[in-house]
Amino acid sequence: MEEKKSPKANLENKKLMFTQIGLIISLALAWMVFEIKSYDKREIDESLLNREVVLDEEMTEITKQEEQKPQPVELPKQTTQLEIVQDDVEVEDIEINADVQQTEVIEEYVAPEIEEEEVVEQEIFQIVEEMPEYPGGEKKLLEYVGKSVKYPQIARESGIQGRVFVNFVIEPDGSVSNVKVLRGIGGGCDEEAMRVIKSMAKWKPGKQRGKAVRVSYTLPVNFKLQ
């Protein structure tokens, strides 16, 4: 049994029309999509441009500095003293030659030696017309030495005793100087004898031809155990 088809139900005749409608709808949709994208792009670009302008203005305001006027610098005043010379006074021309040849030998400058004045030490006499004298005489000298000497403990424990000969100089003012031991016995006795001599009072100075002079004097100091 054959199926009967209605001519109205046949869609082959309307195939071209559906194709054109589909193509038109596709073009319309594509056009709408492009319009929307271009519009968004234009809006974004305008907003970005506006934002960049605002940032430039803000940065310009922050970095703007006031111009400072340069302060004047005071220069030191030069004081030049001029010597006025009359017209009829002749001035000698001084010629200075600073040219030196490479082969020319320049002598080294040597500062002049300053001669120091030699201090002439006064002569020390052994014997003079008036010999020096201890205040109160020889008796007072022996008393002073006997009372002032302290027996060293080492010499006492070691049984050391004897005489220490001390030499010294009596100056023109009566003071004692240049104290030294000519012969000692050790055990601390030599140092003790020098200490006693240095502690003496001023002597009456010795004189030669009425003038006070330096006189050498030697004194024995006794150390004896009892």
Side-chain angles (χ1 to χ4, degrees):
M1 184 177 181
E2 294 181 359
E3 295 180 359
K4 293 182 179 181
K5 294 183 180 181
S6 175
K8 294 181 179 180
N10 190 4
L11 299 175
E12 290 296 332
N13 298 328
K14 299 180 180 180
K15 184 177 181 179
L16 179 60
M17 183 181 64
F18 287 140
T19 301
Q20 293 177 351
I21 293 171
L23 182 60
I24 292 170
I25 294 172
S26 299
L27 292 174
L29 291 174
W31 179 79
M32 291 176 65
V33 169
F34 282 113
E35 284 294 320
I36 292 172
K37 288 184 177 180
S38 61
Y39 176 79
D40 293 341
K41 183 177 180 181
R42 185 167 55 254
E43 291 293 332
I44 292 171
D45 292 342
E46 290 178 357
S47 63
L48 289 175
L49 290 173
N50 294 333
R51 186 176 298 177
E52 289 179 357
V53 171
V54 173
L55 289 175
D56 290 340
E57 291 177 357
E58 292 179 355
M59 292 179 65
T60 305
E61 291 180 358
I62 292 173
T63 57
K64 185 177 180 180
Q65 297 180 355
E66 296 181 357
E67 295 183 356
Q68 297 181 356
K69 296 182 179 179
Q71 298 180 356
V73 180
E74 295 183 0
L75 297 176
K77 297 181 179 179
Q78 296 181 355
T79 55
T80 305
Q81 296 181 356
L82 300 177
E83 185 179 356
I84 300 174
V85 181
Q86 300 297 329
D87 296 338
D88 56 349
V89 177
E90 295 183 359
V91 180
E92 297 180 357
D93 294 333
I94 301 175
E95 183 178 356
I96 300 175
N97 184 11
D99 296 333
V100 178
Q101 301 295 330
Q102 293 182 354
T103 57
E104 185 177 352
V105 179
I106 301 176
E107 296 181 358
E108 184 179 357
Y109 173 76
V110 180
E113 296 181 359
I114 301 175
E115 296 181 359
E116 297 182 357
E117 296 182 359
E118 296 182 359
V119 179
V120 179
E121 193 175 81
Q122 294 182 5
E123 182 183 358
I124 299 175
F125 292 87
Q126 300 293 332
I127 299 175
V128 291
E129 296 174 354
E130 296 183 21
M131 291 297 293
E133 183 180 355
Y134 186 80
E138 186 176 354
K139 183 178 179 181
K140 289 291 183 181
L141 175 61
L142 296 177
E143 289 179 1
Y144 164 76
V145 173
K147 292 179 180 180
S148 301
V149 170
K150 297 179 180 180
Y151 218 107
Q153 185 66 25
I154 298 176
R156 187 186 299 275
E157 293 174 356
S158 302
I160 298 175
Q161 56 183 353
R163 287 184 176 183
V164 178
F165 289 87
V166 183
N167 178 263
F168 54 95
V169 175
I170 302 171
E171 299 291 340
D173 61 351
S175 61
V176 176
S177 65
N178 298 353
V179 181
K180 58 184 177 181
V181 175
L182 295 180
R183 188 173 69 185
I185 57 177
C189 297
D190 302 345
E191 292 77 8
E192 179 62 17
M194 292 178 63
R195 183 191 69 80
V196 172
I197 298 301
K198 290 178 179 180
S199 302
M200 286 192 301
K202 285 188 175 183
W203 289 50
K204 180 182 178 182
K207 292 183 178 180
Q208 181 71 13
R209 296 180 181 178
K211 182 180 179 180
V213 292
R214 306 177 73 194
V215 181
S216 177
Y217 199 95
T218 301
L219 180 67
V221 180
N222 292 327
F223 289 87
K224 186 176 181 181
L225 293 171
Q226 297 180 354

